[in-house]
């Protein structure tokens, strides 16, 4: 009866749609059951809008799929997924995982080969579950062609997508080894690239129909999987044809209902947003109106005092310093209010030019960070005055302004400043999370961090951070034994023992940090550097102004902190460090590529690749992977270190502008290979304003 009623509803929807004289513009690509743009069980060649991020949930009798999909680049779709296998337990040992059902992690990537043209279809190639156990590992080629409200797809799948073997594998014609595929499941986190495009192959395809009623879309597909040998058990497939519908609620939510395998109901929800489009209205004062009141050659105490106050409150400069030398007025300070540094410079220039001493023809505003001079913005006063006054229509001229190396006079004829507080106190809530563990799928710890810092000089700081637990479910952590499949020192896998301390000093160090001259910056530091390690180290960075590259070198000698008494040390020491190259390719907006070569905490040697994309909203999404001279057998489960992260500017969530950020990390599995020591300050991040493409 269930099947009959469902087909009746779908038939009624199609019949109603066919009576309409025209169709509504499509809402855009939709997500498939396992995450990523597709129909139901099969992918399509379509890509979401650049920057689109979706959270997806699907549920049937055998599986629950939790996935997040991000259109990282216009031609690159990335998906991470947790699959809850409802028919299996996490392990056979109830003392290890209780009654928790089996959880599987997966990573998918799809790349567009070319876009749709008048005659040619859109074509994409993809790999599914390439970094997991191989429960759903697949490769595919797929093409799409739209015809009015109908979007047709046709593809060739291998692995899970091609289990039915309804066609011959074309690669078998070139090499016999492509005719077979290893169908055994791998260790979690392993990269099973040797079987790509191997084994049976199958044709799949279907159509998505945008009905005249815009919230409703219908899907019909023929899939190439026969579900024999499925990890959840032998699943009966009464039909390879699946049908479904999507209903859009509001702007960002889709409800999904489908009937699959001829006998199974699947339902779920997708919530989406776009990292390029996210904005927030802020309550903020307007830039100071242009109302010039020329001053005498000598700075007037009351006038400059008001300017300093306005520069702090209106332009966001902390502890601003105004100086005059020759015919130039200098402003130096750390701008903490606006993510776009130019906004702070423009506001400061308005305040300065409104009460400008006679004979000043140049303004130089220098941005600093932790007292490191980063960049000076030099502005011609006459050009600024003409721009603010307004040119006659048709006679507009560009503002004469340029960025230069930091220019801060050591000696000036006149100067006033607001002194900075050498003692700094702060606190912040902290949420630590882990997902996919054996004891519980979600583990959490909510606490608070209090920080104190004191600047002994302009470049020498001593600081500390104390963490206090409020609530957690870490009492469920039972498995603290060393990994049985790894031969490496336990440099990170004792994390469970560390986090069960309710109160601990996470950082206590002294740091000397300075500009070394030209484009060189450096720091030296020592103390408790992070939760697990203390020691000494240093970093130097060469970063030419307004170039898309930089080079850094760090070196550290550290000792492991004792997890039972974190004020003491264990007996493990290591010298570690990395040479890092940074590159922002000019042909892709917002992308940063990092490559680090060096020695890691487990004394292994190798390279870390990190690729990130900063979207128009300021959100940064990145992925990293580390490969060392440790073999997969020595490394153990996971084979190599990898992960994802999101860096979110908090002014997207607040009513006032600010430059603070929060970071979310997703590391499928914490192991001991390829691990770096943490640092309180990273010179590349501190010198961000030297970039030609600062947000």
């Amino acid at each position: 009866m269930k099947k009959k009623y469902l087909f009746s509803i779908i038939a009624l929807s199609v019949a109603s749609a066919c009576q309409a004289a025209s169709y509504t513009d499509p809402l855009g690509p939709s997500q498939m059951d396992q995450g990523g743009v597709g129909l139901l069980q099969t992918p399509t060649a379509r890509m979401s809008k650049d920057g689109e991020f979706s959270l997806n949930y699907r549920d049937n009798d055998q599986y629950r799929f939790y996935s997040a999909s991000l259109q990282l680049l216009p031609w690159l779709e990335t998906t991470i997924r947790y699959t809850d296998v409802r028919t299996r337990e996490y392990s056979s040992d109830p003392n290890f995982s209780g009654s928790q059902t089996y959880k599987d992690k997966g990573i998918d990537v799809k790349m567009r080969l070319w876009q749709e043209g008048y005659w040619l279809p859109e074509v994409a190639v993809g790999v599914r579950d390439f970094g997991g156990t191989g429960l759903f590992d697949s490769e595919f080629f797929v093409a799409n062609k739209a015809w009015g409200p109908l979007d047709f797809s046709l593809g060739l799948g291998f692995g899970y997508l091609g289990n039915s073997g309804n066609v011959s594998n074309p690669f078998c014609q070139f090499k016999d080894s492509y005719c077979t595929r290893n169908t055994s499941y791998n260790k979690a986190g392993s990269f099973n690239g040797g079987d790509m495009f191997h084994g049976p192959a199958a044709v799949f395809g279907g159509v998505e129909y945008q009905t005249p009623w815009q919230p409703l879309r219908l899907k019909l597909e023929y899939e190439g999987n026969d579900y024999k040998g499925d990890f959840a058990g032998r699943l009966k497939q009464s039909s390879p044809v699946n049908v479904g519908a999507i209903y859009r609620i509001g702007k960002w939510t889709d409800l999904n209902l489908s009937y699959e395998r001829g006998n199974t109901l699947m339902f779920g929800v997708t919530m989406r947003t776009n990292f390029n489009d996210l904005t927030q209205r802020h309550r903020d004062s307007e830039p100071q109106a242009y109302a010039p009141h020329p001053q005498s050659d000598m700075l007037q105490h009351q006038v400059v005092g008001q300017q300093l106050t306005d520069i702090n409150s209106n332009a966001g400069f902390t502890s601003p310093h105004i100086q005059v030398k020759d015919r130039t007025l200098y402003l130096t300070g750390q701008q903490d209010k606006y993510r776009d540094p130019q906004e702070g410079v423009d506001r400061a220039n308005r305040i300065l030019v409104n009460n400008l001493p006679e004979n000043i023809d140049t303004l130089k505003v220098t941005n600093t960070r932790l007292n490191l001079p980063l960049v000076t913005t030099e502005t011609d006063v006459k050009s600024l005055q003409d721009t603010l006054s307004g040119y006659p229509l048709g006679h507009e001229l560009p503002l004469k302004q340029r960025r230069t190396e930091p220019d801060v006079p050591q000696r000036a004829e006149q100067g006033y400043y607001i002194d900075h507080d050498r003692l700094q106190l702060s606190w912040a809530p902290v949420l630590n999370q882990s997902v996919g563990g054996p004891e519980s799928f979600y583990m959490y710890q909510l606490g608070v961090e209090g920080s104190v810092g004191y600047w002994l000089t302009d470049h020498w700081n001593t600081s500390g951070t104390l963490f206090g637990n409020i609530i957690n479910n870490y009492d469920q952590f039972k498995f603290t034994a060393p990994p049985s499949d790894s031969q490496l020192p336990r440099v990170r896998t004792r994390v469970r023992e560390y986090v069960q301390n309710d109160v601990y000093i996470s950082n206590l160090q002294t740091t000397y940090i300075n500009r070394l001259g030209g484009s060189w910056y450096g720091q030296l530091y020592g103390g408790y550097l992070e939760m697990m390690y203390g020691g000494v180290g240093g970093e130097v960075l060469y970063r030419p102004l307004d170039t898309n590259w930089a080079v850094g070198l760090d070196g550290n000698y550290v000792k492991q902190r004792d997890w039972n008494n974190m004020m003491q040390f264990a007996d493990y020491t290591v010298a570690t460090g990395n040479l890092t190259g940074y590159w922002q390719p000019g042909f892709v907006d917002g992308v940063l590529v990092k490559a680090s070569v060096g020695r890691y905490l487990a004394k292994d040697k190798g390279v870390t690749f990190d690729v990130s994309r900063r979207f128009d909203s300021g959100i940064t999404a990145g992925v990293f992977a580390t490969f060392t001279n440790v073999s997969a057998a020595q490394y153990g489960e996971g084979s190599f270190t990898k992960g994802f992260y999101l860096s979110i500017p908090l002014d997207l969530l607040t009513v006032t502008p600010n430059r603070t950020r929060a970071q979310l990390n997703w590391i499928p599995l914490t192991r001991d290979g390829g691990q770096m020591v943490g640092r309180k300050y990273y010179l590349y991040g501190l010198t961000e304003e030297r970039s030609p493409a600062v947000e």
Side-chain angles (χ1 to χ4, degrees):
M1 295 296 292
K2 179 172 64 174
K3 181 177 179 181
K4 182 176 73 174
Y5 290 147
L6 182 64
F7 281 134
S8 298
I9 292 171
I10 292 174
L12 265 175
S13 301
V14 174
S16 300
C18 291
Q19 296 297 318
S22 60
Y23 72 92
T24 304
D25 288 338
L27 286 170
S30 56
Q31 297 284 304
M32 59 184 291
D33 291 344
Q34 295 187 2
V37 171
L39 293 173
L40 301 169
Q41 287 287 326
T42 63
T44 67
R46 299 301 182 193
M47 297 284 179
S48 298
K49 184 180 178 182
D50 183 31
E52 182 169 302
F53 175 75
S54 66
L55 294 173
N56 313 291
Y57 170 74
R58 300 291 188 274
D59 191 305
N60 68 15
D61 292 339
Q62 295 81 32
Y63 293 110
R64 293 188 185 99
F65 297 111
Y66 307 86
S67 64
S69 188
L70 172 63
Q71 195 66 40
L72 188 61
L73 295 168
W75 50 268
L76 179 63
E77 173 189 276
T78 57
T79 302
I80 57 176
R81 176 180 54 258
Y82 273 98
T83 302
D84 180 5
V85 186
R86 305 173 72 172
T87 61
R88 287 183 177 245
E89 292 188 344
Y90 196 100
S91 77
S92 58
D93 184 357
N95 294 321
F96 175 60
S97 56
S99 60
Q100 184 184 182
T101 52
Y102 187 87
K103 305 298 190 296
D104 178 70
K105 299 178 283 287
I107 303 170
D108 305 346
V109 173
K110 184 173 72 177
M111 294 179 289
R112 184 172 60 208
L113 299 181
W114 62 78
Q115 287 184 284
E116 181 179 12
Y118 186 80
W119 297 108
L120 292 176
E122 188 154 318
V123 178
V125 61
V127 180
R128 181 191 291 180
D129 205 12
F130 70 89
T133 56
L135 267 60
F136 309 101
D137 65 331
S138 312
E139 304 81 47
F140 60 87
F141 297 96
V142 63
N144 270 69
K145 196 76 179 72
W147 182 45
L150 302 172
D151 190 15
F152 296 93
S153 64
L154 181 65
L156 179 65
F158 309 82
Y160 193 77
L161 286 171
N163 274 341
S164 67
N166 59 31
V167 297
S168 298
N169 187 332
F171 294 104
C172 285
Q173 304 298 320
F174 304 99
K175 195 173 183 180
D176 290 343
S177 62
Y178 278 94
C179 299
T180 58
R181 187 183 187 102
N182 179 11
T183 57
S184 62
Y185 301 118
N186 304 290
K187 288 183 178 180
S190 62
F191 181 70
N192 44 326
D195 282 319
M196 284 187 177
F197 303 101
H198 285 63
V203 170
F204 62 84
V207 60
E208 181 169 339
Y209 172 57
Q210 171 65 65
T211 71
W213 185 32
Q214 191 180 49
L216 180 66
R217 286 168 288 173
L218 305 176
K219 294 183 176 185
L220 173 71
E221 74 174 1
Y222 174 86
E223 62 173 319
N225 184 13
D226 59 9
Y227 295 92
K228 294 178 181 177
D230 200 277
F231 187 77
R234 185 175 178 85
L235 305 183
K236 181 181 178 182
Q237 185 185 55
S238 302
S239 171
V241 177
N242 305 323
V243 295
I246 308 172
Y247 181 76
R248 172 67 58 89
I249 298 178
K251 191 175 181 182
W252 304 115
T253 305
D254 285 340
L255 293 182
N256 301 265
L257 180 66
S258 59
Y259 194 68
E260 303 178 9
R261 303 200 305 271
N263 52 38
T264 301
L265 195 66
M266 176 84 83
F267 68 91
V269 62
T270 291
M271 301 186 68
R272 60 167 53 83
T273 187
N274 193 290
F275 287 167
N276 281 319
D277 300 337
L278 289 175
T279 58
Q280 169 71 300
R281 286 191 173 186
H282 293 131
R283 297 178 59 185
D284 191 19
S285 57
E286 294 293 326
Q288 194 173 95
Y290 180 54
H293 296 90
Q295 304 295 309
S296 63
D297 289 351
M298 294 298 297
L299 295 176
Q300 304 299 308
H301 177 75
Q302 290 183 332
V303 173
V304 178
Q306 186 60 52
Q307 282 183 312
L308 291 170
T309 300
D310 292 341
I311 287 170
N312 176 254
S313 61
N314 188 273
F317 281 82
T318 303
S319 306
H321 191 170
I322 290 177
Q323 298 170 281
V324 172
K325 184 177 181 182
D326 298 328
R327 300 177 65 86
T328 300
L329 188 145
Y330 297 84
L331 168 66
T332 306
Q334 177 169 306
Q335 197 274 110
D336 289 322
K337 191 174 183 182
Y338 301 103
R339 278 192 284 128
D340 181 3
Q342 190 60 42
E343 174 76 11
V345 171
D346 291 343
R347 286 173 171 256
N349 275 342
R350 282 175 172 260
I351 296 167
L352 294 174
V353 80
N354 271 342
N355 293 277
L356 202 63
E358 291 182 358
N359 301 321
I360 296 296
D361 56 23
T362 303
L363 298 178
K364 290 189 176 183
V365 178
T366 300
N367 288 73
T368 67
R369 186 70 44 195
L370 295 186
N371 298 316
L372 298 175
L374 302 177
V375 59
T376 293
T377 303
E378 180 182 308
T379 307
D380 180 81
V381 168
K382 180 64 168 58
S383 177
L384 177 62
Q385 291 171 333
D386 291 343
T387 299
L388 294 176
S389 298
Y391 287 98
L393 186 63
H395 295 274
E396 296 86 357
L397 294 175
L399 176 65
K400 294 180 181 179
Q401 189 176 78
R402 66 190 183 103
R403 285 160 53 92
T404 69
E405 289 287 353
D407 185 1
V408 180
Q410 297 300 311
R411 295 181 180 180
E413 298 155 2
Q414 305 176 65
Y416 292 91
Y417 60 91
I418 296 177
D419 199 6
H420 68 276
D421 293 330
R422 294 194 175 275
L423 179 65
Q424 298 170 328
L425 303 171
S426 65
W427 71 275
V430 175
L431 176 63
N432 297 316
Q433 307 172 84
S434 64
V435 179
E439 299 95 334
S440 177
F441 180 66
Y442 179 71
M443 305 288 285
Y444 69 90
Q445 181 183 51
L446 179 64
V448 63
E449 271 189 348
S451 297
V452 58
Y454 187 79
W455 287 94
L456 302 171
T457 70
D458 285 346
H459 300 289
W460 184 12
N461 174 265
T462 296
S463 61
T465 301
L466 179 70
F467 175 84
N469 172 69
I470 297 176
I471 186 173
N472 65 55
N473 64 348
Y474 285 173
D475 59 324
Q476 298 182 34
F477 277 145
K478 302 174 183 177
F479 186 66
T480 58
S484 60
D485 58 351
S486 174
Q487 304 173 25
L488 297 176
R490 298 191 65 188
V491 297
R492 288 297 186 199
T493 52
R494 291 192 182 274
V495 61
R496 294 181 171 208
E497 288 122 302
Y498 284 102
V499 298
Q500 291 186 64
N501 290 282
D502 286 332
V503 179
Y504 57 84
I505 294 175
S506 56
N507 174 267
L508 180 62
Q509 71 177 66
T510 186
T511 307
Y512 179 82
I513 186 167
N514 204 350
R515 183 188 182 206
L516 305 180
S519 300
W520 290 91
Y521 293 84
Q523 64 167 327
L524 296 172
Y525 45 85
Y528 294 135
L529 305 181
E530 50 146 289
M531 180 174 65
M532 299 187 192
Y533 289 91
V536 296
E539 180 189 13
V540 292
L541 176 74
Y542 179 69
R543 188 171 189 177
L545 179 66
D546 288 339
T547 60
N548 62 353
W549 63 274
V551 178
L553 177 67
D554 69 273
N556 309 273
Y557 183 78
V558 296
K559 193 168 187 176
Q560 192 171 32
R561 297 173 68 178
D562 191 315
W563 45 94
N564 294 316
N565 183 349
M566 294 178 63
M567 299 304 293
Q568 297 181 2
F569 289 96
D571 60 359
Y572 183 77
T573 59
V574 58
T576 178
N578 292 87
L579 175 67
T580 304
Y582 306 85
W583 178 47
Q584 301 175 60
F587 52 85
V588 186
D589 289 340
V591 171
L592 172 64
V593 180
K594 295 190 291 186
S596 299
V597 180
R599 191 176 194 234
Y600 298 89
L601 285 172
K603 301 180 182 178
D604 47 338
K605 301 173 183 177
V607 58
T608 298
F609 297 102
D610 185 310
V611 181
S612 61
R613 164 89 185 277
R614 176 173 290 194
F615 297 92
D616 293 345
S617 65
I619 292 177
T620 297
V623 57
F624 66 89
T626 299
F627 306 92
T628 73
N629 59 346
V630 171
S631 68
Q634 291 174 301
Y635 184 94
E637 184 181 357
S639 299
F640 62 97
T641 296
K642 64 271 191 183
F644 298 83
Y645 57 89
L646 283 177
S647 176
I648 303 170
L650 292 184
D651 68 350
L652 291 176
L653 308 174
T654 61
V655 296
T656 56
N658 64 84
R659 294 184 59 148
T660 55
R661 305 181 73 89
Q663 183 152 316
L664 302 175
N665 300 313
W666 184 78
I667 299 174
L669 191 66
T670 298
R671 302 296 281 192
D672 295 308
Q675 298 288 345
M676 295 184 183
V677 67
R679 300 202 301 275
K680 183 179 179 66
Y681 302 118
Y682 291 83
L683 290 177
Y684 189 83
L686 291 176
T687 60
E688 183 180 16
E689 283 159 280
R690 292 181 67 82
S691 167
V694 174
E695 187 67 32

